[in-house]
Amino acid sequence: MTPTRDGGPASTAQSLHPRVRIVWILRAVLVAAVLSVPFAIGFYFEYLPRWAPVLAAAAFLALGVAHAVLRYRRWSYEIREDALYLDRGVVTQVRTTVPLVRIQHVDSRRGPVERGAGLASCVVYTAGSRGADVRIPGLTPDGASDLREELKRLSIRADGEDAV
């Protein structure tokens, strides 16, 4: 770790919990099944050959699984003394910087799929335009709570330092 300006240790980039890959792969299976339905209908009405639905499902599934695996490898976040940094994306790589002074509030969230996988998300709402929030998926419930509390603490401290 490299030291920060105030001499304390800097954080290193954090990756998501490996179980989030399973959630994303299951989502890819569902999407492949839905996208393959028109090919199955075309086969049923004899517009398409017998192998078309199988080939379409295999292609959609392969692309979806590859995307889920690459998405997991690419997703990381880091908390530094001035901001939250996110790095993600497969086709379009997105790097987001959220200054701590812009954080309005932080939620931890667990939807039904996340609860089933034993995961949670942390949502960071920022000052600015409508929809100005970032979501960090694939955290353990305790990890999401810890991250929420740490961001809350750091944003309060940063707001106090920048107060007029």
Side-chain angles (χ1 to χ4, degrees), residues 5 19 21 30 35 42 57 59 84 96 150:
R5 281 184 290 185
R19 275 191 301 234
R21 286 182 297 196
L30 180 63
L35 292 176
L84 169 66
T96 304
E150 182 179 4

Side-chain angles (χ1 to χ4, degrees), residues 5-87:
R5 281 184 290 185
D6 61 3
S11 68
T12 57
Q14 302 289 315
S15 59
L16 305 179
H17 194 282
R19 275 191 301 234
V20 76
R21 286 182 297 196
I22 295 168
V23 172
W24 290 341
I25 287 171
L26 290 175
R27 186 177 300 154
V29 169
L30 180 63
V31 168
V34 169
L35 292 176
S36 299
V37 167
F39 293 91
I41 292 170
F43 164 70
Y44 179 77
F45 289 109
E46 299 179 3
Y47 297 129
L48 295 173
R50 176 177 290 170
W51 50 265
V54 175
L55 181 65
F60 290 135
L61 183 61
L63 286 172
V65 169
H67 184 266
V69 170
L70 291 172
R71 182 179 178 193
Y72 173 76
R73 287 184 185 167
R74 186 71 179 130
W75 229 113
S76 65
Y77 67 96
E78 183 176 2
I79 301 171
R80 296 187 191 161
E81 73 271 358
D82 61 337
L84 169 66
Y85 296 88
L86 297 106
D87 193 8

